[in-house]
Each structure stands twice: as C-alpha cells, then as structure tokens.
C-alpha cells in the first residue's frame, strides 16, 4: 500500500494534503456520557496550526475512508479502533480531491492524548463549546451539517420475504439465495449506504448493523462480518419480532425489511420503522 503523504492540487486550484484524499474521525462520547467530541488543537507548525479540528489525515492508496480515519486517530491520539462504532460518512468533494468525515461514537469511556507532533492538545470538547473555538476551516464548514447526525440504524431483514421478491431462481436454492443477500448486506455494512439514514445532509452514507433472519432450507446460513444471522427454529415472523424486541433499546433506530402486512403491524407496534424489499434492494 503506497503512502498518501504529500501535497496535491484539486480542480478548484486549492492545495490539499493527501495524494489519495484524506479522512478524519468525528468521534463522539458514549451515549451514557455528557455529549462531547474528540478534537485536536493542531500544532502551530502544521497546516492551519492553532485551530481545532477532528483527528485525521491523508488516506493511503487502496485504504477506505473508515480505515484511514481510524488509523489516523490511533496514531494521533491513541484511539482504539475496536472501541469505535462507525455511524456515518460524509464526503466533501473539492473536484478530484475528497475529504471524508467519518461520524462515530466511542463504545466506552476513552482517554485521549497527543501521540505525535501534529497536535498541541487533544481533548473531549463539550458540544456547547465547539462553536466558540477557532476551528479548522474544513471542520468549520462540515460541523453544522454533521452535529445532529444520529446513530446508524439496526436493520432486521426478513430473508425469506426479501429473497422471494426477486425472480433470480431462489426457489431452486433457497440457502444460496439467502447467502447472496447476506453478502450484499455485508458489502453495504462495510461501504455504507446512502438513503437509510436522515435525509440531510445530502450524500450522507450510514453504516448500518444488519440482522438477517433465515428459516427453513436457509436456516444453516452463517453470519459474516457486518451481518448477524439469526436462524428461526419456528416461525420466521416470530423471530423477526423477537429480534426487534430484544434490540430496540440499544440506542439505534430499528428498521425492518419486509412486505408482509401482519409482520409490519407487529414490528411497528414495537416502534420499528419498515422498508419494503424493493427499497432495500435498490439501496444496495
């Protein structure tokens, strides 16, 4: 993997650090702590020194924005990637050069401290204090757009209903059809999905957690990173309802994907939103 360290010029004629673009981590405190964001005070000798911004830097070649943001945050402030829950991503496109802000939350209390020369300070800054700081110009432009972004949704998928909505020969190999759907969901969990989260800002991609409920001939389908697979021992509808009931108080909005009217009624009574199979497949 080639390093992305270096200056480049975008189509607008501006100089940017990051040959392959750049990414940063807008890291929020856990839900059970006072609302704050992890920010760095950029060292005076750095670009836009003396301003506050998010942890981040140049992307390496073939590195995803999430990978780059987590790596930079670890290098600059000791952030532990395994304790970060990625929620959303927003791309600021300068014409041939992009900066991607990854919105995330710490899963538990985490101490932050400068780890290299790039920061004079790193701290959890309360939300009410951020607007009063001298902000990095890039962060100053995206912060008003992203400050209200909530947690990414938990999406419970009725596999039999979704698989049955597309004529791809699923009836000949129900397990194989469920595995293809699972793999599509896994790819979406890794790359993010536009349209599952809030309508603004435009272009926001959320990183949902997927629960795939399988039954019958597909009940032995295994889970993969990004997709938890639940095998229904009896009714698939009952398993979907149970999955919603168990997970609805975990701080994420819950969406169920199904076209079954009775199932829709049952999960909406638990506070879940509902998407039709075609809507999900179009988003994927």
């Amino acid at each position: 993997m080639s390093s992305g360290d270096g200056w480049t010029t975008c189509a607008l004629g501006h100089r940017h650090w990051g040959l392959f673009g750049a990414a940063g981590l807008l890291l929020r405190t856990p839900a059970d702590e006072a609302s704050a964001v992890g920010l760095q005070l950029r060292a005076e000798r750095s670009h836009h020194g003396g301003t506050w911004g998010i942890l981040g830097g140049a992307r390496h070649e073939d590195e995803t924005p999430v990978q780059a943001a987590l790596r930079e945050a670890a290098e600059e402030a000791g952030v532990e990637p395994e304790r970060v829950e990625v929620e959303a991503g927003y791309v600021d496109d300068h014409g041939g050069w992009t900066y991607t802000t990854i919105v995330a939350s710490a899963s538990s209390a985490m101490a932050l401290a400068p780890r290299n020369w790039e920061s004079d300070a790193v701290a959890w800054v309360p939300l009410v204090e951020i607007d009063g700081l001298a902000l990095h110009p890039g962060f100053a432009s995206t912060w008003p757009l992203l400050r209200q972004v909530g947690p990414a949704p938990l999406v419970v998928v009725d596999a039999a209903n979704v698989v049955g909505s597309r004529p791809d020969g699923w009836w000949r190999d129900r397990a194989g059809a469920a595995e293809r759907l699972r793999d599509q969901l896994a790819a979406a969990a890794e790359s993010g999905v536009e349209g599952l989260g809030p309508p603004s800002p435009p272009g926001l991609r959320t990183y949902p957690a997927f629960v795939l409920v399988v039954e019958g001939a597909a009940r032995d389908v295994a889970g993969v990173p990004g997709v938890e697979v639940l095998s229904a021992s009896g009714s698939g509808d009952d398993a979907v309802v149970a999955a919603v009931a168990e997970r609805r108080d975990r701080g994420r909005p819950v969406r169920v994907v199904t076209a079954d009217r009775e199932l829709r009624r049952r999960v909406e009574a638990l506070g879940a939103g509902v998407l039709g199979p075609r809507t999900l497949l179009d988003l994927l």
Side-chain angles (χ1 to χ4, degrees), residues 148-230:
Q148 298 298 332
V149 172
L154 171 70
V155 182
V156 181
V157 181
D158 179 358
N161 195 271
V162 175
V163 164
S165 71
R166 52 185 180 184
D168 62 352
W170 60 266
W171 53 89
R172 292 190 294 269
D173 182 6
R174 295 171 188 264
E179 288 174 342
R180 290 192 295 274
L181 175 59
R182 176 204 62 191
D183 293 344
Q184 282 186 281
L185 298 176
E190 182 178 7
S191 64
V193 182
E194 186 175 343
L196 269 180
S200 62
L204 183 77
R205 301 181 72 85
T206 56
Y207 291 82
F210 288 104
V211 176
L212 183 65
V213 178
V214 296
E215 57 185 302
R219 63 180 176 272
D220 292 329
V221 171
V224 295
V227 183
E228 178 186 1
V229 175
L230 295 181

Side-chain angles (χ1 to χ4, degrees), residues 253-269:
V254 178
R255 308 278 181 85
V256 173
V257 182
T258 186
D260 185 289
R261 291 185 179 181
E262 176 60 18
L263 178 56
R264 177 179 187 133
R265 183 193 65 77
R266 294 174 68 188
V267 298
E268 286 180 336

Side-chain angles (χ1 to χ4, degrees), residues 110-162:
M110 184 185 304
L112 302 177
R115 290 295 183 94
N116 58 28
W117 66 269
E118 298 177 54
S119 306
D120 282 343
V122 179
W124 289 109
V125 180
L127 296 189
V128 295
E129 298 180 12
I130 292 177
D131 290 337
L133 300 176
L135 300 180
H136 182 283
F139 179 54
S141 67
T142 56
W143 172 238
L145 301 175
L146 301 178
R147 65 188 305 159
Q148 298 298 332
V149 172
L154 171 70
V155 182
V156 181
V157 181
D158 179 358
N161 195 271
V162 175

